[in-house]
Amino acid sequence: MKKKVAISIGDLNGIGIQLALENHATLSKEINPLYCIDEAMLKQAAQKLNIPIPHDFHTIENIAPSFEIEAGVVTKESGAYAYASFVKAVELARKQEVDAICTLPIHKKAWEKAGVAYKGHTDALRDFFDAEAIMMLGCDKMYVALFTEHIPLKEVASSINEKDLTRFLIDFYHTAKPTTTVAVLGLNPHAGDDGVLGDEERIIEKAIKQATTYLKKENPSLLTPHSSLFTSPMVPDVAFTPNVRKNYTHYIAMFHDQGLAPLKALYFDEGINVSLNLPILRTSVDHGTAFDIAYKGVKLNHLSYMNAIKYIGEHL
């Protein structure tokens, strides 16, 4: 039986609704989608896009107040609607009325204008479920999890501590279920060069040791004398070279751009966003609202969207 998936519609001034309409027929072969958008906003968007609404495009009423779509414009109305759509999708998953949720792209500034307190989906999910959600992005070829996410770069070093990183490593291993050793990046150039360029790698090493000890005690079969669960802190500037990448499928980066710059350079079109360590399964496209091309008749790349749906089918 096909899984039922709630699709939060994202920012209606962006490309999310075009993705939903254009890919509905293909997507419906894999899942039963339920779109968190009401009929009035759907009709307005479809008319502006000049795309017919499929007869089996199932929607939900009373999401949020209707508004006039302004293609490519950041507005509090579009931010409020995007947030309400997301909250509805989460509510359906919490009540087990759907099996998972998939989120289309939001605009963080629109959320802010609407008075939403969260910087994004993952922040909100942590609060909704009182759980340490982990942001993992990528595709089957390579996934990257982020220890720190949307914080200023100047705050990253002080955020790395043994207790939180140990918990992160354990939670990641439990929920990502990697089949190869996890590549853990150092923070500093050359992974600190044995303390010459920084000592945060000492903290990372201790967290890796603590997490490995815990996981081995929990399940002794995880480790053999010739294998390890995590690498020692890797030199970041060589971690994503071809010869290194062929040995790993999962990476842990210490900060946002350290992991996502190489990931998006390699697999931008096909990458997805997955929220791990939650009681529900949530996936998302790994791209933004693309305001510059919204409602302009541009052919969209749908690979990230379809991969986000594919992940749900493979992991439920």
Side-chain angles (χ1 to χ4, degrees):
M1 183 179 294
K2 291 189 291 186
K3 300 298 182 181
K4 192 171 185 179
V5 178
I7 311 288
S8 70
I9 211 64
D11 196 303
L12 284 169
N13 290 344
I15 63 168
I17 185 60
Q18 182 180 345
L19 278 171
L21 287 166
E22 287 183 343
N23 294 284
H24 173 75
T26 302
L27 180 145
S28 295
K29 295 175 183 177
E30 305 295 328
I31 63 165
N32 287 321
L34 177 60
Y35 299 94
C36 296
I37 182 174
D38 60 65
E39 189 174 350
M41 293 306 299
L42 175 62
K43 286 182 176 178
Q44 182 189 160
Q47 184 176 16
K48 288 179 180 291
L49 288 164
N50 194 27
I51 297 176
I53 300 172
H55 72 279
D56 59 345
F57 198 94
H58 299 298
T59 60
I60 299 175
E61 292 304 303
N62 303 315
I63 296 292
S66 295
F67 65 96
E68 182 65 27
I69 292 172
E70 298 180 71
V73 179
V74 179
T75 68
K76 66 178 182 180
E77 292 82 7
S78 65
Y81 199 98
Y83 179 68
S85 175
F86 169 58
V87 169
K88 174 59 71 173
V90 172
E91 177 187 326
L92 292 168
R94 192 193 293 270
K95 293 179 178 178
Q96 298 184 331
E97 294 179 26
V98 297
D99 298 297
I101 69 173
C102 180
T103 57
L104 288 169
I106 62 158
H107 197 289
K108 291 179 174 61
K109 190 65 178 180
W111 270 26
E112 183 184 272
K113 283 192 169 190
V116 177
Y118 306 110
K119 295 178 181 178
H121 292 114
T122 310
D123 290 345
L125 288 166
R126 287 194 183 101
D127 197 27
F128 293 169
F129 292 100
D130 191 23
E132 294 294 337
I134 293 173
M135 184 185 292
M136 183 179 78
L137 304 99
C139 58
D140 287 343
K141 301 181 188 74
M142 184 174 81
Y143 284 105
V144 178
L146 305 178
F147 176 60
T148 66
E149 299 160 7
H150 298 134
I151 65 172
L153 187 58
K154 65 182 179 180
E155 296 177 11
V156 171
S158 61
S159 299
I160 297 175
N161 64 81
E162 185 179 343
K163 179 182 177 182
D164 289 342
L165 183 54
T166 299
R167 174 199 49 76
F168 181 95
L169 294 171
I170 293 168
D171 290 344
F172 177 79
Y173 207 90
H174 280 155
T175 55
K177 297 180 172 59
T179 56
T180 62
T181 300
V182 177
V184 181
L185 303 186
L187 175 69
N188 298 294
H190 306 286
D193 253 349
D194 200 25
V196 175
L197 301 178
D199 59 5
E200 285 80 11
E201 282 70 26
R202 300 284 192 255
I203 301 171
I204 298 170
E205 288 169 353
K206 290 178 181 178
I208 290 169
K209 183 176 180 180
Q210 292 284 348
T212 299
T213 299
Y214 178 92
L215 289 164
K216 183 178 180 181
K217 184 177 180 180
E218 181 183 63
N219 184 0
S221 67
L222 283 174
L223 287 180
T224 68
H226 305 292
S227 70
S228 57
L229 301 186
F230 306 98
T231 66
S232 297
M234 295 182 69
V235 176
D237 65 1
V238 299
F240 297 98
T241 56
N243 279 338
V244 176
R245 281 204 323 274
K246 68 185 180 182
N247 298 310
Y248 307 102
T249 58
H250 291 72
Y251 286 76
I252 292 174
M254 293 300 111
F255 62 94
H256 187 278
D257 290 5
Q258 183 190 49
L260 298 195
L263 173 66
K264 293 188 178 185
L266 291 163
Y267 303 117
F268 179 74
D269 288 336
E270 58 204 282
I272 67 172
N273 186 333
V274 182
S275 296
L276 300 174
N277 206 38
L278 291 172
I280 67 167
L281 176 58
R282 173 257 174 171
T283 67
S284 177
V285 296
D286 183 23
H287 59 73
T289 52
F291 277 176
D292 57 322
I293 60 173
Y295 296 88
K296 293 183 178 179
V298 175
K299 182 177 175 59
L300 303 180
N301 188 315
H302 62 264
L303 193 53
S304 178
Y305 182 37
M306 297 309 298
N307 281 350
I309 297 299
K310 178 184 174 185
Y311 187 97
I312 291 172
E314 292 175 347
H315 292 81
L316 278 180

